[in-house]
Amino acid sequence: MLKEAAECRHRVEDSSRLLGSQRPGYGTLQPDTDKSHMEVTGYQTKAWRVALCHTCSVLTAGLLLVLFHWKPSLEVQAKCKPCALGQADWVIIRDRFGQCFTSRVRSEPLGEASLEHHPGARLEEQRSSIAMGVSEAEGSLDTIRLHQKEEKNTLRYYLFEGMRYVWMEQRQAYCKVSALDEGWTCADLHLSQAGLDQQDHTTRRKIYGPNLIEVPVKSYARLLVEEVLNPFYIFQVFSMVLWVCDAYYYYAACIFLISTISLGLSLYETRKQSSTLQKMAKMAVGVRVHRPRGEEVVVSSVDLVPGDCISLPTDGTLVPCDAALLSGECMVNESMLTGESVPVMKTPLPAGSQAASSIYSPEEHKKHTLFCGTQVIQAKAYVGGEVLAVVTRTGFCTAKGDLISSILYPKPVSFKFYKDAVKFVLFLAVLAFIGTLYSILVLVRNQVPVGQIIIRALDLITVIVPPALPAAMTVGTIYAQNRLKKQGIFCISPPRINLCGKVHLVCFDKTGTLTEEGLDVWGVVPLQDHRFLPIVREPRCLPAGPLLCCLATCHTVALLRAQPVGDPVDLKMMESTGWHLEMLEEEEGDLPALQQFGTKVLAVMKPPPEAEQPRDRKHQVPVGILRRFPFSSSLQRMSVLAKLPGEAPAHVYVKGAPEVVASLCVKETVPLDFSQVLQHYTSDGFRVLGLGCKALSTVTTFEEALQLPRDSVEINLTFLGFLVMKNVLKPESAPVIGLLRNANIRPVMVTGDPMEGDRDTRPGEGAGH
């Protein structure tokens, strides 16, 4: 979207941070790490330069203003003098692609309040520090002063592509206002449950700005002016004026009509896409925020800042920021960001001793992070309180902001067609110049009047360099876009349509794209005396024991309005056992759970009715789930802590990549033919998961389970067997691939499935070719 903005701007890397040093004399910031690809130069406005530029603009009949419009950095250089960054009124930003942008440096009073980095910081430290990153002593930015003492109450910053860059006196650099997740441990975030007082909140609000993802929607008048000031359109206007002077009225009228129509269509599409994107990005909801001393207020999401502790309603809400979940569980629909329609279970950040040294990262802890723009379908508090989360990112720093930024400010595309087009026009311009000189000589020799010489010479330029070229290309692009729409193909950046003619390779995801959305359980390969048994096609026929309990409980399925929701693999696995899930409500679930399991549980898995169970393999004991460790792509597994009635210790059930699960098991419990059996099923295209379990005598209650670190749970397991799943190809996949091959376009499937003996490493992704 935003075609014009997308063609002249780029997207800044999320992790970019200006950590360089000031170059003496010119105030240019040279990055000293790979995290930043920008160079920032400071300029200070000079009144006499501004007056001189205005005078020249008048004398040149506005041509200087047109030049400044084409090259804004030239205007800053003309009106301002290079200076140190700390005194700059304007900055010129040069990105890694060589593009230049300008931004005005803004100043506003900050007040006496400040931002604390760690919730437990001393009061005197809180009054003189601002949270901008991690510890300065460690070589980056932790709790550092905003300015020197004489300037600490003044905030200087500039905006670039939605991001704020604040002047840090001690660093002698403009630094991007950091998210509240750089260098913080999970324990630090848990200490944020008390919330911010009003003074700290006010200061953070000034520094971080409003929690908005603002998409500019230009008026038709402004879009028209910007489009008309394009060099091609200026040349067109010049050509039409020349033709009218030479009595080419019909030709001039045709070019004018074509240009007007193409320009009108282009402006309409651009503004329509801008308005659509603005509606998608705009979001303001009421949020309950905790304040110190137990206060709770309802504020607009626009006023949220990193460090605010928010309370999520049990019936769900739209997430207006990135936040780390501190307590409770949430079922979240992340389709707006990921395109996946399957709800995702979010669990609290690790607490206790394991959180002290665990650095919080949205990528690593994504199962504990609520992302902006996603929908919390339902939330459940299980610690006798509320579902709490601490705000870590706002505005363009959020996941949704990053998505909008990638649309507004895409990276420039180096397309040979455009380069050749420019070379072609330049070549024609050289021919036109030579032809003009020749025609002037011929006309002068023939003693043609001066007025006719000028008209004939300039007319030759308009003949050689086609003025209707941009209009013709715009009409062609719009026509191609309409043809694509009729086929159900939509393009948010019409200029990219020209790229499609050079496509030679198409990459597909597999699960849900080439194959059906979910997987089907093909069977279970159990063990007996550490040897594999024949595959059991119906898991519900398994005898009561650890393997059946693992299949019934090792998942993150939850109930949404009495319907089970979750990962398709988890749903199919649970469905194959015949067991059903029963979520416990806060008001009425504690007493039955205490009576049955001796402690509170998150949920209860109940066996199927006796009539549906095999006659000789009855299983009547329910299983309570104490805690879930969701799937982690880096760990390649997930696990749960569960408890049986009448048994004191809890049990751990794990499922994941077969090699990973086997590596966590006691070696003696893994059969010798493990690799051969696994190879047998994976070579046939099946998806295989490994299963394991162990008893935890040290955990007997719900509270103890919450404090247990994950790495101490998923070790010394007993290997239980394989879960074998298959994935069915969509009926329309084969015709589409055939169509691509007939067009000499190579289709490629990008997936984690095994090749040449390698294994897939992610439970939940597809299986079977």
Side-chain angles (χ1 to χ4, degrees):
M1 298 183 185
L2 291 180
K3 178 182 69 175
E4 301 304 324
E7 290 176 346
C8 65
R9 288 183 169 179
H10 79 289
R11 175 173 171 253
V12 175
E13 300 292 339
D14 292 338
S15 60
S16 65
R17 180 179 300 280
L18 305 180
L19 296 175
S21 59
Q22 182 179 345
R23 188 171 67 184
Y26 294 95
T28 302
L29 187 65
Q30 297 288 352
D32 59 5
T33 68
D34 292 334
K35 293 183 179 180
S36 175
H37 303 283
M38 299 192 302
E39 179 181 301
V40 182
T41 308
Y43 287 85
Q44 192 172 49
T45 305
K46 294 298 179 181
W48 68 270
R49 289 190 175 215
V50 175
L52 181 61
C53 288
H54 289 168
T55 303
C56 293
S57 298
V58 174
L59 295 178
T60 58
L63 291 180
L64 185 61
L65 295 178
V66 175
L67 181 61
F68 286 163
H69 173 77
W70 290 345
K71 203 163 182 65
S73 61
L74 186 62
E75 180 180 9
V76 172
Q77 292 172 340
K79 294 182 178 180
C80 306
K81 176 185 177 182
C83 69
L85 286 173
Q87 287 76 44
D89 299 318
W90 287 84
V91 292
I92 293 181
I93 306 160
R94 182 182 296 274
D95 68 1
R96 59 176 172 171
F97 305 107
Q99 301 177 112
C100 286
F101 308 93
T102 63
S103 182
R104 177 187 292 274
V105 176
R106 310 182 187 191
S107 300
E108 63 179 73
L110 184 61
E112 296 181 358
S114 63
L115 289 178
E116 54 178 318
H117 179 67
H118 294 288
R122 297 190 302 272
L123 182 61
E124 58 270 20
E125 293 175 343
Q126 297 176 16
R127 293 185 180 275
S128 61
S129 62
I130 169 174
M132 300 295 290
V134 294
S135 175
E136 186 180 11
E138 297 174 359
S140 51
L141 301 172
D142 181 9
T143 308
I144 58 181
R145 298 180 185 277
L146 178 62
H147 288 285
Q148 293 177 346
K149 292 182 179 180
E150 62 272 14
E151 296 181 344
K152 67 178 181 180
N153 293 331
T154 302
L155 177 70
R156 291 174 57 81
Y157 67 94
Y158 68 84
L159 301 175
F160 179 60
E161 298 186 348
M163 300 289 188
R164 284 192 173 210
Y165 294 82
V166 176
W167 174 249
M168 305 296 292
E169 190 70 31
Q170 291 187 355
R171 301 291 303 186
Q172 287 293 294
Y174 281 97
C175 302
K176 185 175 74 175
V177 286
S178 69
L180 196 68
D181 56 17
E182 298 175 10
W184 278 58
T185 65
C186 297
D188 293 331
L189 293 178
H190 274 285
L191 293 175
S192 302
Q193 291 193 24
L196 301 173
D197 60 34
Q198 190 59 46
Q199 190 181 37
D200 280 337
H201 180 274
T202 301
T203 304
R204 288 176 186 249
R205 179 68 163 75
K206 290 183 179 180
I207 293 173
Y208 287 98
N211 179 29
L212 288 174
I213 303 173
E214 296 179 301
V215 176
V217 178
K218 300 176 182 178
S219 64
Y220 281 112
R222 183 175 177 183
L223 288 173
L224 178 63
V225 171
E226 292 181 354
E227 190 76 19
V228 170
L229 290 180
N230 185 287
F232 268 111
Y233 278 106
I234 290 180
F235 177 68
Q236 255 188 346
V237 173
F238 162 77
S239 300
M240 287 186 288
V241 171
L242 183 64
W243 295 332
V244 170
C245 294
D246 202 25
Y248 291 163
Y249 301 117
Y250 294 110
Y251 186 53
C254 288
I255 296 298
F256 175 78
L257 184 61
I258 293 174
S259 299
T260 302
I261 293 175
S262 65
L263 185 62
L265 291 175
S266 177
L267 296 183
Y268 172 75
E269 288 292 334
T270 299
R271 197 172 194 280
K272 179 182 177 183
Q273 292 167 3
S274 300
S275 300
T276 302
L277 186 60
Q278 185 188 54
K279 292 177 182 177
M280 183 179 74
K282 188 177 181 180
M283 178 172 53
V285 296
V287 183
R288 289 187 297 166
V289 177
H290 282 234
R291 294 284 183 244
R293 295 179 295 278
E295 299 177 11
E296 186 175 278
V297 295
V298 178
V299 302
S300 171
S301 60
V302 177
D303 296 323
L304 290 177
V305 296
D308 273 332
C309 182
I310 61 176
S311 177
L312 302 174
T314 56
D315 56 350
T317 184
L318 193 65
V319 183
C321 58
D322 283 4
L325 190 62
L326 302 181
S327 65
E329 287 186 343
C330 295
M331 184 61 67
V332 183
N333 180 1
E334 294 185 336
S335 59
M336 187 269 180
L337 297 179
T338 64
E340 298 289 342
S341 59
V342 179
V344 179
M345 172 70 74
K346 301 289 184 177
T347 58
L349 275 175
S353 59
Q354 62 173 330
S357 58
S358 176
I359 302 298
Y360 172 74
S361 167
E363 291 75 24
E364 183 180 347
H365 295 92
K366 63 182 179 180
K367 291 296 185 180
H368 315 298
T369 303
L370 306 175
F371 295 104
C372 180
T374 60
Q375 178 76 40
V376 175
I377 304 174
Q378 70 178 15
K380 178 179 175 58
Y382 52 76
V383 193
E386 300 175 282
V387 182
L388 301 178
V390 59
V391 178
T392 58
R393 297 185 177 188
T394 57
F396 272 97
C397 292
T398 62
K400 183 178 179 180
D402 179 64
L403 175 64
I404 301 298
S405 178
S406 66
I407 299 174
L408 285 176
Y409 317 110
K411 298 177 181 178
V413 177
S414 179
F415 187 32
K416 195 172 184 296
F417 172 77
Y418 295 131
K419 294 180 179 179
D420 291 344
V422 173
K423 293 178 182 178
F424 173 70
V425 172
L426 291 177
F427 175 72
L428 293 180
V430 173
L431 288 181
F433 179 73
I434 296 173
T436 300
L437 293 178
Y438 178 76
S439 64
I440 291 176
L441 291 176
V442 172
L443 294 173
V444 169
R445 286 180 181 179
N446 294 332
Q447 297 181 349
V448 176
V450 176
Q452 287 296 319
I453 291 177
I454 295 175
I455 291 178
R456 290 289 172 263
L458 296 178
D459 185 45
L460 186 61
I461 298 176
T462 65
V463 172
I464 296 179
V465 181
L469 181 61
M473 291 185 64
T474 302
V475 171
T477 300
I478 293 175
Y479 176 69
Q481 189 177 17
N482 290 331
R483 288 182 60 195
L484 290 173
K485 285 182 179 179
K486 292 179 181 179
Q487 298 295 325
I489 302 171
F490 298 91
C491 178
I492 62 175
S493 182
R496 300 297 192 273
I497 294 177
N498 293 327
L499 292 171
C500 297
K502 303 294 290 184
V503 171
H504 299 288
L505 178 72
V506 175
C507 297
F508 291 98
D509 179 31
K510 188 180 64 124
T511 306
T513 303
L514 295 178
T515 64
E516 297 293 345
E517 186 68 36
L519 292 88
D520 294 321
V521 174
W522 183 256
V524 180
V525 183
L527 296 181
Q528 184 176 1
D529 297 329
H530 307 309
R531 295 179 179 273
F532 286 111
L533 297 177
I535 188 170
V536 177
R537 298 297 299 272
E538 290 292 336
R540 67 181 65 222
C541 297
L542 291 171
L547 180 57
L548 182 59
C549 287
C550 182
L551 295 174
T553 61
C554 193
H555 55 73
T556 56
V557 176
L559 293 180
L560 178 62
R561 290 182 283 274
Q563 293 295 323
V565 293
D567 188 276
V569 172
D570 291 343
L571 289 171
K572 288 293 185 179
M573 182 182 70
M574 187 183 75
E575 179 184 328
S576 69
T577 64
W579 289 51
H580 63 276
L581 176 67
E582 181 180 289
M583 301 295 291
L584 301 179
E585 297 298 332
E586 188 70 25
E587 297 81 9
E588 56 189 28
D590 286 346
L591 186 58
L594 286 172
Q595 294 175 345
Q596 193 170 28
F597 299 99
T599 182
K600 184 180 177 181
V601 296
L602 295 180
V604 175
M605 292 300 303
K606 292 191 173 181
E610 291 189 27
E612 300 178 11
Q613 297 187 42
R615 294 180 180 179
D616 56 339
R617 298 183 177 181
K618 301 294 183 182
H619 194 295
Q620 301 177 350
V621 181
V623 181
I625 299 177
L626 297 177
R627 188 179 179 184
R628 302 182 180 98
F629 292 104
F631 170 78
S632 169
S633 57
S634 59
L635 299 177
Q636 304 172 17
R637 61 183 182 269
M638 72 155 296
S639 59
V640 296
L641 269 66
K643 192 172 184 182
L644 296 172
E647 293 188 11
H651 295 268
V652 178
Y653 298 107
V654 181
K655 83 167 186 283
E659 293 91 341
V660 174
V661 174
S663 67
L664 299 174
C665 293
V666 177
K667 186 177 180 180
E668 290 74 18
T669 66
V670 181
L672 298 177
D673 57 344
F674 172 88
S675 299
Q676 291 84 346
V677 175
L678 180 59
Q679 175 66 23
H680 168 72
Y681 289 106
T682 55
S683 61
D684 288 340
F686 289 104
R687 170 56 188 244
V688 182
L689 301 178
L691 307 174
C693 76
K694 78 169 182 178
L696 277 177
S697 58
T698 57
V699 177
T700 58
T701 64
F702 178 80
E703 291 73 16
E704 292 174 348
L706 290 181
Q707 298 298 319
L708 203 61
R710 183 169 185 167
D711 54 3
S712 67
V713 171
E714 300 169 339
I715 56 174
N716 298 325
L717 304 173
T718 298
F719 190 72
L720 295 177
F722 292 137
L723 172 64
V724 184
M725 310 191 79
K726 66 176 181 177
N727 202 197
V728 182
L729 197 68
K730 284 184 175 180
E732 60 267 26
S733 296
V736 170
I737 293 176
L739 186 65
L740 290 173
R741 286 177 173 167
N742 291 335
N744 293 323
I745 297 176
R746 180 190 172 201
V748 171
M749 182 175 68
V750 181
T751 180
D753 282 349
M755 290 183 62
E756 300 298 333
D758 293 336
R759 314 290 181 228
D760 190 356
T761 57
R762 173 167 180 177
E765 289 292 331
H769 300 284

